[in-house]
Amino acid sequence: MGEAKRREDLGLPPREKKKEKQTSKNQLNKILNKYPYLPFILGFSLLAILIIDLVNYYK
């Protein structure tokens, strides 16, 4: 740890770690982890809408 010793000798604080920007993929994973049943709810609601439209079409 050469740099850490050098910074300590110079009286500088430890180097801060850089934060990476979150990508949209991480945000999608965050939402899916928070609401794990969301894809099922959306899928079933879309299926219900399609069935209702199909029934109304053939009336």
Side-chain angles (χ1 to χ4, degrees):
M1 287 237 196
E3 183 181 356
K5 288 181 183 179
R6 181 183 63 82
R7 290 181 73 86
E8 185 179 334
D9 291 340
L10 293 174
L12 297 173
R15 195 172 85 182
E16 294 181 11
K17 294 183 180 180
K18 295 180 181 178
K19 294 183 181 179
E20 296 181 16
K21 293 182 179 179
Q22 290 184 346
T23 59
S24 61
K25 183 178 178 182
N26 288 341
Q27 291 175 349
L28 179 62
N29 286 338
K30 183 190 268 188
I31 291 171
L32 289 177
N33 285 336
K34 190 173 181 182
Y35 305 108
Y37 292 112
L38 183 64
F40 296 110
I41 293 170
L42 290 176
F44 286 130
S45 62
L46 179 63
L47 183 65
I49 291 171
L50 289 175
I51 290 173
I52 292 168
D53 284 343
L54 185 66
V55 168
N56 287 334
Y57 178 75
Y58 285 112
K59 270 190 173 179

